[in-house]
Amino acid sequence: MKYISTRGQTQPQTFSEVVMTGLAPDGGLFLPEHIPDFSTQCEALASLSYVDLAVTLLDPFVDLPRADLQGLVEKSYATFDVPDVTPTVRVGDMHVLELFHGPTLAFKDLALQLLGNIFSYLLERDGGELNIVGATSGDTGSAAIHGVRGRPGIRIFIMHPQGKVSRTQELQMTTVVDDNVYNLAVDGTFDDCQDILKSVFGDLDYKAKYHLGAINSINWARVLAQVVYYFHSAFAVMRETGAAEVDFSIPTGNFGDIFAGYIARRMGLPIGKLVLATNENDILARFFENGVYAKGDVHPTLSPSMDIQVASNFERYLYYRLDEDGDALRKMMQQFAETGSLALPHAPRDGDPFVSGSGDTAATLAVIKDTYETHGYLLDPHTAVGVHVAKRFQRDDVPMICLATAHPAKFGDAIVQALGEDLAHHPTLDALEGCPERKTALGATLAELRDVVADAIEHGRRCD
Ligand SMILES: *Cc1c(COP(=O)(O)O)cnc(C)c1O
């Protein structure tokens, strides 16, 4: 399987190349040349363990020997605290897919544990070094750091918007004091961090000179890893309910998680609707209502990992909406870069699975409270947005699976606001208070980032 760029000006590349590169040289995102169809194999797949399912689904996409892939997948999910990796539990008339059983208690561990292992594998096989530069609105950073901490041949530089991630999220990053980990606290918003990131990766000479690699959700391996739990949970819920298809509700920020659901559907998993749920930062929800994608200001909310205006993975979906026309997409993205807005020429065809809605702070708090009081189940604020929007689209005869993207203890303040009591705890997080921390303050400019990265690589210099 080869990979092409959404902007159509990159030679096809292998999975190993794509994983190491991140963004395509023409500024586009990588996608597989074709998507394998598993629709006739669903019955056989349904009885596999998480690991075996992952290996079977990933195998056609990757250029690694199957036995090696098996080893990488096994190692990646052995760090989870339940054997089933991503269990689905019933909460009232919905099904909650718990994606928070990994080391940092958010769904991003599913992808980043695997990505860390793939990086190490490829570096060992091919030699060389890798300097990961990333930006986080909260959860990506800690999951990425935990994916590569202490690994030989890898450094990681993670920008986060100073003061705009929760204290717990911050601690999950800054308390990782391994020498290959650089936490950069940027004086700006998450979108500023993403802009700087795009620019640094846009400078191909700099990128090659310093062996930069990406770990943010544009990395294809992340999307791929996330496809697996759509299959795993759909099978579990279909088995439990006897249904022939399922709907999913996904709390959405960068469009990575929900895009994995879209790929799962294109791979033949019987998904009816994909419910796109946003908080007050609703650029994507509005797009799926009126076809116009227009950038606004970022509003801080209770669900900071979704406080995003420009969704980095959205381009992949646009590519399919434009019938895989890289030239048309390139023009559209140029226009978006210039004007901050774009509009699709035609409405989605019948069979487009997306529906959308948003939930504000009041709705988020109300859903957390109601779910706890009625069912004794604590939702984190991101998951609560998904559950809130899911209620609008729930169908009588099709089970609704709501992705629980983080453990509620990661967002304890929101739980206190909703319930008046500090009910959400997790031993992993409670242990972080008082641990030594490491971080470097950074202005929101490309120049400052370039200096910090170059200094560390050339002189082994740390400024924290
Ligand atoms: C990253 C994140 C999201 C948003 O996922 P995207 O792939 O960016 O759409 C939602 N909830 C939590 C808890 C997250 O960490």
Side-chain angles (χ1 to χ4, degrees):
M1 170 87 69
K2 287 284 179 75
Y3 289 81
I4 47 103
S5 162
T6 49
R7 301 201 189 172
Q9 298 190 320
T10 298
Q11 286 300 316
Q13 302 201 4
T14 65
F15 175 79
S16 298
E17 288 166 339
V18 162
V19 170
M20 283 302 190
T21 325
L23 201 66
D26 62 9
L29 305 184
F30 284 111
L31 280 170
E33 269 179 339
H34 69 271
I35 297 178
D37 179 9
F38 285 90
S39 56
T40 57
Q41 298 171 50
C42 281
E43 214 169 306
L45 296 177
S47 59
L48 298 179
S49 70
Y50 193 91
V51 165
D52 289 342
L53 179 63
V55 173
T56 308
L57 294 174
L58 268 46
D59 189 49
F61 288 98
V62 308
D63 57 348
L64 316 178
R66 192 173 169 117
D68 293 359
L69 176 65
Q70 176 93 26
L72 294 172
V73 170
E74 271 169 17
K75 205 184 324 172
S76 303
Y77 299 118
T79 60
F80 282 61
D81 68 8
V82 287
D84 200 25
V85 185
T86 61
T88 309
V89 300
R90 198 168 191 136
V91 177
D93 50 8
M94 305 220 179
H95 302 262
V96 172
L97 168 53
E98 294 186 343
L99 300 172
F100 50 70
H101 290 278
T104 71
L105 316 181
F107 86 92
K108 296 188 170 74
D109 288 327
L110 270 302
L112 289 165
Q113 286 292 305
L114 182 63
L115 188 57
N117 282 310
I118 295 177
F119 280 150
S120 283
Y121 173 90
L122 293 177
L123 288 174
E124 227 165 88
R125 189 190 72 184
D126 305 334
E129 63 172 88
L130 178 66
N131 294 299
I132 294 161
V133 184
T136 187
S137 57
D139 294 328
T140 308
S142 56
I145 287 166
H146 284 260
V148 302
R149 63 185 297 182
R151 287 181 186 272
I154 301 181
R155 290 185 195 82
I156 182 164
F157 302 85
I158 294 289
M159 294 179 275
H160 69 268
Q162 166 67 26
K164 296 190 179 69
V165 301
S166 78
R167 177 67 182 143
T168 306
Q169 287 177 319
E170 183 181 16
L171 280 173
Q172 283 187 296
M173 296 189 276
T174 57
T175 57
V176 182
V177 294
D178 298 65
D179 270 333
N180 70 332
V181 174
Y182 295 78
N183 283 297
L184 308 175
V186 172
D187 182 16
T189 63
F190 173 62
D191 280 346
D192 293 333
C193 298
Q194 279 210 130
D195 285 345
I196 297 172
L197 188 68
K198 278 224 157 190
S199 310
V200 82
F201 277 98
D203 181 344
L204 300 186
D205 293 335
Y206 186 89
K207 186 181 165 193
K209 178 170 177 203
Y210 291 112
H211 308 286
L212 299 195
I215 203 153
N216 60 352
S217 56
I218 60 169
N219 196 304
W220 169 255
R222 284 188 57 182
V223 174
L224 194 55
Q226 292 172 184
V227 165
V228 179
Y229 51 70
Y230 282 91
F231 278 82
H232 188 67
S233 63
F235 292 150
V237 168
M238 291 194 289
R239 201 159 43 233
E240 186 189 323
T241 60
E245 69 170 345
V246 293
D247 294 336
F248 282 95
S249 176
I250 302 99
T252 295
N254 261 318
F255 205 78
D257 203 2
I258 195 166
F259 184 73
Y262 178 72
I263 294 289
R265 190 171 184 270
R266 290 183 76 115
M267 288 167 72
L269 185 66
I271 296 176
K273 299 254 168 276
L274 290 167
V275 180
L276 182 149
T278 67
N279 61 27
E280 286 94 332
N281 298 289
D282 60 352
I283 176 173
L284 284 168
R286 281 183 284 123
F287 170 82
F288 282 100
E289 274 150 28
N290 61 24
V292 177
Y293 185 70
K295 203 163 142 179
D297 294 327
V298 182
H299 305 287
T301 71
L302 292 177
S303 41
S305 296
M306 293 151 59
D307 291 350
I308 283 161
Q309 282 292 332
V310 180
S312 53
N313 258 292
F314 185 58
E315 179 167 339
R316 288 192 160 113
Y317 169 69
L318 283 180
Y319 176 77
Y320 288 113
R321 271 293 293 276
L322 293 176
D323 297 322
E324 310 184 28
D325 181 343
D327 291 331
L329 181 70
R330 194 170 63 250
K331 286 185 194 123
M332 192 170 269
M333 296 314 293
Q334 257 158 18
Q335 186 210 324
F336 182 70
E338 282 157 21
T339 64
S341 120
L342 63 81
L344 277 190
H346 52 78
R349 280 187 214 91
D350 286 351
D352 187 279
F354 292 99
V355 292
S356 68
S358 60
D360 62 11
T361 300
T364 305
L365 293 173
V367 168
I368 293 173
K369 187 168 195 288
D370 179 61
T371 306
Y372 184 68
E373 287 175 350
T374 315
H375 307 291
Y377 190 89
L378 271 180
L379 300 171
D380 100 282
H382 303 78
T383 309
V385 169
V387 170
H388 170 75
V389 178
K391 286 179 200 279
R392 259 180 55 201
F393 293 103
Q394 189 160 30
R395 302 190 276 173
D396 287 342
D397 46 346
V398 181
M400 177 67 80
I401 304 178
C402 295
L403 272 59
T405 50
H407 190 281
K410 286 195 85 160
F411 301 94
D413 292 351
I415 305 297
V416 173
Q417 264 193 61
L419 296 166
E421 272 181 275
D422 186 12
L423 291 174
H425 280 274
H426 193 286
T428 304
L429 300 181
D430 292 340
L432 296 178
E433 279 300 344
C435 287
E437 291 181 64
R438 236 178 178 182
K439 68 177 174 185
T440 302
L442 200 75
T445 67
L446 175 61
E448 286 194 43
L449 175 75
R450 288 169 60 118
D451 288 350
V452 168
V453 171
D455 256 9
I457 297 170
E458 285 178 9
H459 311 294
R461 194 144 59 213
R462 300 191 60 105
C463 30
D464 43 7

